[in-house]
Amino acid sequence: MSTALAKEIDFAHSIGGVLPSSETSSQGSSDDLGEKSEKTAGHVKTTELNSVAAPLGVPAEEKRFWWQQTSKNYDPNAIATQPSVFDDPDTAKEYQPPANWENLHRFDPSARWTWGEEHKLIRKIDFKIMIWACIMFMALELDRSNLAQAVTDNLLKELKMNTNDYNLGNTVFKLAFLCAELPSQLVSKWIGPDRWIPAQLILWSVVASSQFWLSGRESFLICRAILGILQGGFIPDIILYLSYFYKHHELSIRLGFFWTAMSLSDVIAAFLAYGLLHLRGVHGKSGWRWLFLIEGLLTLVIGIASFILMPASPTQTASKFRGKNGWFTAREETIIVNRVIREDPEKSSMHNRQPITPKLLWKSMCDFDLWPLYLIGLVFQIPETTPSQYLTLTLKGLGFGTFKTNLLVIPSTVFHMVTMLALTYVAEIWGELTLTSAFGQIWALPFLVYIYLVDITKINKWKAFGIMSLLLSYPSAHPIQVAWNSRNSNAVRSRTVSAAMYNMFVQAGGIVASNIYRADDAPRYKRGDRALVAICLGNIGLYLFTKVYYVLRNRSRANKWNAMSEDERLDYLATTTDEGNKRLDFRFAH
């Protein structure tokens, strides 16, 4: 979807071949990946295509999922290199990476590799890059959500606060988180996410640990604000970083696991809270104080390790701690770089430490084609976030004890992990993003209607627990929508800003969600539940609007593109000032 259509290129003569065994080794040098000639003009390296290129892979042969790679129809020796604009000399020169791109020395349009090589390499990237990204996200979730466990240990009473103060703390945190999103993303693009993300972890771990010394409402709100400022931007920062290593559909699936790691962190947090809250009385301190201190110190360790375990790019993994030869061989680096930009040539348009100028920032913020996704980000989680934030207080109000309450949040979290991953896989298998994403709203609606019509504080507490658990087991479309937003940006510049913008709207939605249940509506919260039902119904309509919008935008562009002759298309590619998703050869995912 993100690869430019450029022109109708005849690849029939060059697909379906199989590499000789001598060319499939993952230990080969990038110099033997195919015949090429290089010219150097100043510091710019360009790669010319020979008239007879090595064969390309058949797009239909790609096996995206693990179960497909075990089928009889899977041939690991088939060529994986997909057709691209770089295979035609007329279009290749229009997409030539800039001279300062950090991976330029591994850019080779004539490189060919097999599916066996690519899938083995993807698993290696998962192990080296993705797992640690998930661990860092778990640290973030641990430090931003442990407040829900802390309030079960009389934090509100000891700090002389009420549920409105609790709501205000969540609001202050999310507002600070929101305000920091874009500045953090700009800093990350300037100095590199491999430097900025570990620094964020270390800085917020200090603040998270310092909550051990909270003394009242004022110190509580100050800590929540600083924590939000330091954590803001982490999510878009890490998503931009992961996009250096993965294709679009691969990133979508892995973001499913990324948010699964967040849910897994919530499960671990429940067990940790069960143990740490039992420290009440140690040195005369409350259990919630030890909870904040110990979990903050865990994040500090992860932050220090992240400076070692986050390379700057696929071709910059060598270091004192990662080894002088780095994590990937020259051939593996060539495969990583070329397979990614063959799918999306715009990923090579900026250096990984190149800052966004104010002009580019404003241009990206005014990209109206992404605003339907921003609006979805604003409202899609509200119907579930409000009950989720009050789950521990609701369970305690139903008569469950402090320690049992923390354990009872685990079932809904586990089921939420399963349904979210399943939904993410369905979106990629079905090839339908909008309608699949809307399913989470359809799931939640009947449960929201039930808790609006029935006072769950007066029914059997286990039945109420079951209803709430089923509601919060909803399949979140968040991983789908984050990757969807990245696909529809189609440029590093706009992808950098749009990731922050989308998450800012998500945080704004969190602020709204934190203020729907009010103290004067307790314990029934009927007014709040009525608002949640209305928002859920509105969300379904918004998804349908988004679907129609992108279908019509693509149809309009297709009509213009198809009306052009081949020469007119080439002239457009050579002379257009359109960038990213504004190009006529780009089609929006939906």
Side-chain angles (χ1 to χ4, degrees), residues 232-250:
F234 171 87
I235 295 173
D237 291 344
I238 201 74
I239 291 168
L240 177 65
Y241 177 73
L242 292 174
S243 71
Y244 298 158
F245 297 88
Y246 292 107
K247 294 180 183 179
H248 293 306
H249 74 269
E250 294 166 354

Side-chain angles (χ1 to χ4, degrees), residues 7-15 56 83 87-88:
K7 59 179 283 189
E8 300 299 324
I9 304 171
D10 181 14
F11 293 113
H13 68 283
S14 61
I15 57 178
L56 291 163
D87 300 313
D88 185 282

Side-chain angles (χ1 to χ4, degrees), residues 243-276:
S243 71
Y244 298 158
F245 297 88
Y246 292 107
K247 294 180 183 179
H248 293 306
H249 74 269
E250 294 166 354
L251 183 59
S252 180
I253 296 297
R254 278 148 187 83
L255 288 178
F257 284 98
F258 187 65
W259 265 277
T260 298
M262 182 187 77
S263 298
L264 180 60
S265 178
D266 291 335
V267 173
I268 294 173
F271 284 111
L272 284 175
Y274 182 82
L276 295 176

Side-chain angles (χ1 to χ4, degrees), residues 38-49:
E38 297 178 353
K39 292 184 178 181
T40 303
H43 296 291
V44 181
K45 183 179 91 170
T46 60
T47 304
E48 295 182 346
L49 297 173

